[in-house]
Amino acid sequence: MVALIRPESWNLPLFLHVLGATLTFGATATVALLGFAGLRREPERALWLRRLAFRIGLLVLVPSFILMRAAAQWIANKEYPGNAKTPGWLDVGFIVTEPGAILVIVMLILAWLSARRVGSRLTAAVPWLASLYVIALGIAWFAMSAKPGG
């Protein structure tokens, strides 16, 4: 129903935000899955899986995160210009993405370090951090789609 009364100029930033959010969620889940798979394999294959997780994080997660965050700010500025009061569901998205940027950076640094060493203790941190962020993204996803509390 809201889509019927939404101005047409909001379509592009909203589409880009949803595209970036979907890619961010998928890339983060992929990094988590590859990280966990790399924990249980022989050393040569585990190293390959960790390198693949790092590459996906760097080449897919980072650009999709930037797209999601930039488009979110774009649509928020169109929908709530100036200092207008934003709804709680929008605040949840910003609460998840702002510290999430730091988490993604830390996760990528750890993934880079673990991709260079065979028996690194940092190896287990990457999939757990990615899993934690997948859960946070799922909470934001729920808040954005269900809009609890109006």
Side-chain angles (χ1 to χ4, degrees):
M1 189 68 187
V2 173
L4 294 175
I5 58 173
R6 181 179 66 229
E8 205 165 302
S9 66
W10 295 1
N11 288 345
L12 179 62
L14 186 59
F15 170 75
L16 291 175
H17 171 67
V18 171
L19 176 67
T22 303
L23 291 172
T24 299
F25 186 86
T28 307
T30 302
V31 169
L33 290 171
L34 288 172
F36 282 125
L39 295 176
R40 302 273 184 199
R41 303 286 180 199
E42 58 273 1
E44 189 174 299
R45 180 165 290 200
L47 189 60
W48 180 79
L49 288 169
R50 290 196 306 265
R51 286 180 181 158
L52 184 59
F54 171 69
R55 287 184 185 132
I56 289 173
L58 186 64
L59 300 175
V60 180
L61 178 57
V62 171
S64 63
F65 184 89
I66 292 169
L67 176 65
M68 172 191 65
R69 188 62 178 86
Q73 193 64 53
W74 186 12
I75 190 71
N77 287 344
K78 281 186 170 291
E79 196 168 345
Y80 303 99
N83 292 329
K85 172 89 172 92
T86 58
W89 57 266
L90 187 62
D91 294 337
V92 169
F94 289 127
I95 289 169
V96 168
T97 57
E98 288 171 0
I102 296 168
L103 185 67
V104 167
I105 291 168
V106 169
M107 186 174 60
L108 280 176
I109 291 170
L110 293 175
W112 177 70
L113 291 172
S114 69
R116 299 180 67 212
R117 300 185 190 132
V118 176
S120 176
R121 290 185 178 179
L122 301 173
T123 304
V126 174
W128 285 108
L129 287 175
S131 298
L132 177 69
Y133 197 52
V134 164
I135 292 169
L137 287 170
I139 292 168
W141 193 347
F142 172 76
M144 294 287 148
S145 60
K147 295 178 180 38

